[in-house]
Amino acid sequence: MPTGTQDRPTEVTAAGIARLAGVGRAAVSNWRRRHADFPKPVGGTETSPAFALREIEQWLRDQGKLAEVPLRERVWQQLVGHPAGAAAALRQAGAVLLLAHDRPAAWQQLRAAADDAELTGVLPAVLDAVLAARLGPGHPVRGLTREALAPSAALVRATGDLAAADGAAAAYDFLLGRHLDANPRQYTLTPPGPAALMAELAAVAGPSGTVLDPACGAGALLAAARERSAEESDAGERDAGEGEAGESDAPVTLYGQEADADLAALTALRLALGAPDAQVRVRAADTLRADAFPDLAADAVLVHPPFNERNWGHDELAYDPRWEYGFPARTESELAWVQHALARLREGGTAVLLMPPAAASRRSGRRIRADLLRRGALRAVIALPAGAAPPNGVPLHLWVLRKPGTTPPAPQLLVVDAAGPAPGPAAGRDKPDWQTVRTTAVEAWRTFDRDGGIEEQPGVRRSLAAIDLLDDDVDLAPARHLPPPAAAGGPAELARIRERLTTTLARTTALTPRPDGGAAGPARWPLTTVGELARSGALVLRAGGAGTAPAGGAAPAVLTDHDVIGGDAPSGTLPEAPASGPAEEPVLLQAGDVVVPVLGGGAVARVTDDSTAGAALGRNLTLLRPDPAALDPWFLAGFLRGTANNRQASSYASTATRLDVRRLQLPRLPLADQRRYGQRFRDLAAFEGALRLTARLGEQLVQGLHDGLTDGSVTAD
């Protein structure tokens, strides 16, 4: 540790000061200019100075500006401003939380009996013992020396308070989550949806298995495997009845390896706290060059490997025994990870890897792909929708592999397209429907794995003999081998679409509004703003984006900004609540609410009806709930859509336009007049909906006729 580090104060930025005081950053800048006694910077840069947290807290307290900040936030500020850096501080906090979790009595006795110097002097030995017991020898949580802990006494005690308030696991989930969110470019994370799907495909069942992730990152795949194992174990206990224990009492063992030493340490602590009944063995090293578990024969291997790596060890690993299916080219790092996963499986064990689509078709990897097929190791390739995991613009694949035994199965490959049809221009969806993806993928794999084959479903799934794929390219991309679905259901379905389109066009014509003439010039009504109406109680303003799904309970769908702009039904989902924390209540819509997109939506406002009521309000949306005795919702929504109104209420940040809903204006009119205008706006909304439906039916008919003509189901006569 550099000399003097332990004497440096915990630092906080202007953004952190704003959080502590419950104000915006502009207020902090004003305080610095107006108050001569405002603390001087102790670090940072001229444009982004850092201040001593203790001095800032004292100044805010003296000025009566120190808000009642949640304990979580105060601990986070101490952690992020720690002189040794956030990662080192989080490592220390996580070790203390593990001590408080595993040995609560010893921790309470220690913190009560010792002053700060004694506490940080005794802690290293105590923490080493706890970490060795939970993580085994050679664990990556290093650097917890007396010198390293000396400047951390306040953080250690505050972390203990947080463990008592929230629980150790929930406290660490919060702190680690904040750290990962604050450094998005530093870490590539596997989202919960793909992680859970991969664990399910690997059939991680029962509590006594062994699971390896040799590129474990932040531990999402191992955490999903542990959760899946726990679910299967609970189901098994219910089926077997109470009181029947046996081999299933042995704990699951989670093996992980990560090249980033800091991340390996944080992940080891996450798993130890989140899975107290599991054995956790995480090591810090480059897996391909320095395998930490060379003798492991795991039941399952789950991997989200780094993509497109050139410096993966090609030159020094030419004669490595793991390359049983062929030596990977320098450009085929993913096939090195595939063979590493197979090498660490027991016979019959399953590996699931998240792969870039190019790995299924690059010519440089065709020989290895061919051998994987011939020997029955590669069992399935499943195409996922774009946005499943980083890089989000690429539709990734899942490869399911099985370590061949002495009598491998007849070489067959399952190909599945779980992405579904590409959304049309009006679909407006920004993330996959994971329930549909999961159902498609899991049902196909389980049927294929049980029966050795599967009934073909055009456009979705197919079982192929390996010999049919062993051509010059050995291209395994599912889209290349799946027969297209029948064109829009065939000629009969096309006829039904045409009939609906004809009916809708007739309705659109009937709904076409007439201007009906008008006044000689613009009306000069007295105006009010949404902000003034909110202050007077005529309406309630709510911002969207908050809320989590309750654990084990039904969660409402989320109305997203894309749904509002596209006129679609709610399509989003709420994020899951922390395992040990309460669910956060979302804002739920009621019939008659007016919903306005605030980011890049243009002149859009939507009145919710009974079919949308009960949905949760999504991000980048503002809800206006009018008092029906004072405001007609259709009148409100109609005037909010005025082009000039939106222009004067919009702010511009680079290329994005953000709407300040409080500045939107509408005329002061009696309720009877509001209802007359409201009826016209309601008629316009019905006409707009008919136009949208016409466009969608037209798209379906045109594409269906193209497909029918090209596959022969529609003739050219």
Side-chain angles (χ1 to χ4, degrees):
M1 168 175 263
T3 303
T5 299
Q6 68 184 55
D7 298 323
R8 288 171 51 195
T10 299
E11 298 174 359
V12 62
T13 63
I17 297 172
R19 285 198 190 97
L20 287 171
V23 298
R25 292 186 62 176
V28 178
S29 299
N30 287 334
W31 293 342
R32 291 187 64 195
R33 287 194 301 268
R34 293 169 51 194
H35 296 277
D37 61 341
F38 192 88
K40 303 300 181 187
V42 297
T45 64
E46 185 174 344
T47 57
S48 181
F51 305 84
L53 177 60
R54 184 172 298 179
E55 293 179 6
I56 288 295
E57 287 182 332
Q58 187 59 51
W59 187 86
L60 291 173
R61 194 174 289 109
D62 293 343
Q63 297 289 326
K65 302 179 185 294
L66 187 61
E68 284 298 324
V69 180
L71 178 60
R72 281 183 167 191
E73 188 64 41
R74 296 179 66 80
V75 174
W76 169 250
Q77 291 298 337
Q78 291 182 326
L79 187 147
V80 77
H82 196 280
L90 186 53
R91 196 162 58 238
Q92 297 171 7
V96 171
L97 288 169
L98 188 60
L99 170 61
H101 181 277
D102 284 9
R103 304 180 185 178
W107 161 245
Q108 291 299 336
Q109 182 179 1
L110 180 63
R111 70 173 302 192
D115 59 23
D116 285 357
E118 291 171 332
L119 180 63
T120 56
V122 173
L123 265 180
V126 179
L127 294 178
D128 280 349
V130 172
L131 291 166
R134 288 300 309 278
L135 303 177
H139 65 77
V141 189
R142 307 293 186 183
L144 302 179
T145 64
R146 180 171 187 163
E147 292 75 19
L149 290 169
S152 305
L155 174 62
V156 166
R157 293 188 183 277
T159 301
D161 293 339
L162 189 58
D166 291 1
Y172 190 72
D173 279 348
F174 166 76
L175 296 174
L176 178 61
R178 267 289 188 89
H179 177 67
L180 297 175
D181 290 344
N183 300 276
R185 296 184 180 180
Q186 186 176 348
Y187 306 112
T188 299
L189 306 178
T190 308
L197 174 57
M198 292 171 70
E200 192 162 6
L201 290 170
V204 178
S208 57
T210 55
V211 185
L212 168 68
D213 182 352
C216 64
L221 292 177
L222 290 173
R226 171 66 190 97
E227 183 175 349
R228 175 70 182 167
S229 171
E231 291 173 357
E232 292 290 330
S233 176
D234 291 344
E237 288 180 3
R238 288 193 298 270
D239 292 342
E242 296 182 2
E244 296 185 11
E247 294 182 1
S248 64
D249 292 333
V252 67
T253 303
L254 305 175
Y255 293 92
Q257 189 165 346
E258 168 57 42
D260 184 321
D262 280 338
L263 187 55
L266 301 182
T267 298
L269 290 164
R270 173 192 182 182
L271 295 171
L273 283 162
D277 57 338
Q279 293 187 33
V280 175
R281 298 292 182 264
V282 176
R283 300 295 177 259
D286 183 321
T287 295
L288 295 180
R289 290 185 173 90
D291 183 11
F293 309 107
D295 300 320
L296 181 64
D299 296 304
V301 178
L302 304 175
V303 198
H304 178 180
F307 296 162
N308 302 318
E309 277 199 330
R310 296 299 181 97
N311 185 27
W312 58 267
H314 177 271
D315 294 339
E316 59 262 49
L317 296 174
Y319 301 102
D320 195 289
R322 288 172 291 182
W323 315 144
E324 185 178 346
Y325 299 86
F327 179 41
R330 188 184 303 275
T331 56
E332 294 288 353
S333 63
E334 296 86 5
L335 294 182
W337 286 100
V338 165
Q339 294 190 76
H340 175 84
L342 284 167
R344 295 297 160 263
L345 280 173
R346 63 165 174 80
E347 285 191 6
T350 304
V352 183
L353 285 86
L354 192 62
M355 300 283 279
S361 57
R362 281 191 296 243
R363 286 187 61 83
S364 55
R366 66 189 186 279
R367 295 183 185 277
I368 294 176
R369 293 196 299 271
D371 207 29
L372 289 168
L373 288 173
R374 286 191 196 97
R375 298 171 61 181
L378 181 57
R379 306 293 291 145
V381 177
I382 300 170
L384 299 178
N392 290 307
V394 179
L396 302 178
H397 291 172
L398 289 177
W399 285 24
V400 184
L401 301 109
R402 179 73 51 73
K403 179 81 172 269
T406 53
T407 56
Q412 292 276 328
L413 180 73
L414 170 68
V415 291
V416 180
D417 185 355
R429 291 177 182 253
D430 60 347
K431 59 183 178 180
D433 177 358
W434 269 107
Q435 184 57 41
T436 301
V437 172
R438 175 200 163 278
T439 300
T440 302
V442 172
E443 286 186 356
W445 166 246
R446 287 181 176 172
T447 302
F448 173 82
D449 192 37
R450 182 187 66 240
D451 302 338
I454 196 169
E455 182 181 354
E456 181 179 300
Q457 186 176 343
V460 178
R461 66 192 195 189
R462 185 184 184 189
S463 175
L464 298 162
I467 195 170
D468 295 334
L469 297 165
L470 299 178
D471 55 15
D472 289 341
D473 294 323
V474 196
D475 190 335
L476 308 182
R480 306 271 167 82
H481 303 287
L482 287 170
E493 180 62 23
L494 289 176
R496 282 191 290 271
I497 292 175
R498 183 179 183 277
E499 185 178 344
R500 283 191 66 197
L501 178 60
T502 302
T503 303
T504 306
L505 284 169
R507 183 169 181 266
T508 303
T509 302
L511 289 171
T512 302
R514 293 174 297 182
D516 291 335
R524 301 195 177 277
W525 293 302
L527 298 176
T528 186
T529 66
V530 168
E532 290 173 351
L533 290 169
R535 286 191 292 273
S536 69
L539 58 81
V540 175
L541 273 175
R542 299 289 300 274
T548 53
V558 176
L559 184 71
T560 70
D561 51 347
H562 293 293
D563 298 332
V564 174
I565 294 168
D568 296 323
S571 65
T573 55
L574 288 171
E576 294 182 0
S580 52
E584 184 181 355
E585 290 293 328
V587 177
L588 299 181
L589 297 168
Q590 298 177 8
D593 288 343
V594 178
V595 181
V596 182
V598 298
L599 191 61
V604 178
R606 173 170 169 178
V607 180
T608 59
D609 55 16
D610 290 333
S611 66
T612 311
L617 187 68
R619 294 179 57 195
N620 298 322
L621 293 174
T622 296
L623 176 148
L624 292 78
R625 182 166 292 159
D627 178 354
L631 277 175
D632 180 81
W634 287 100
F635 165 80
L636 173 63
F639 274 96
L640 295 188
R641 287 189 60 171
T643 302
N645 201 3
N646 276 260
R647 187 174 298 153
Q648 64 85 29
S650 297
S651 62
Y652 296 86
S654 66
T655 59
T657 304
R658 189 170 188 88
L659 187 68
D660 184 350
V661 175
R662 290 179 174 273
R663 292 173 54 188
L664 288 169
Q665 298 176 336
L666 62 159
R668 296 180 183 272
L669 294 179
L671 191 57
D673 291 342
Q674 291 182 34
R675 288 172 177 158
R676 284 193 300 107
Y677 277 96
Q679 185 57 52
R680 290 298 303 271
F681 288 132
R682 188 193 292 261
D683 294 341
L684 280 174
F687 175 63
E688 185 177 39
L691 287 177
R692 283 200 180 102
L693 179 57
T694 301
R696 294 179 188 180
L697 290 171
E699 289 173 4
Q700 291 178 31
L701 183 60
V702 170
Q703 188 60 53
L705 287 170
H706 272 96
D707 293 342
L709 287 165
T710 55
D711 70 13
S713 60
V714 175
T715 67
D717 297 335

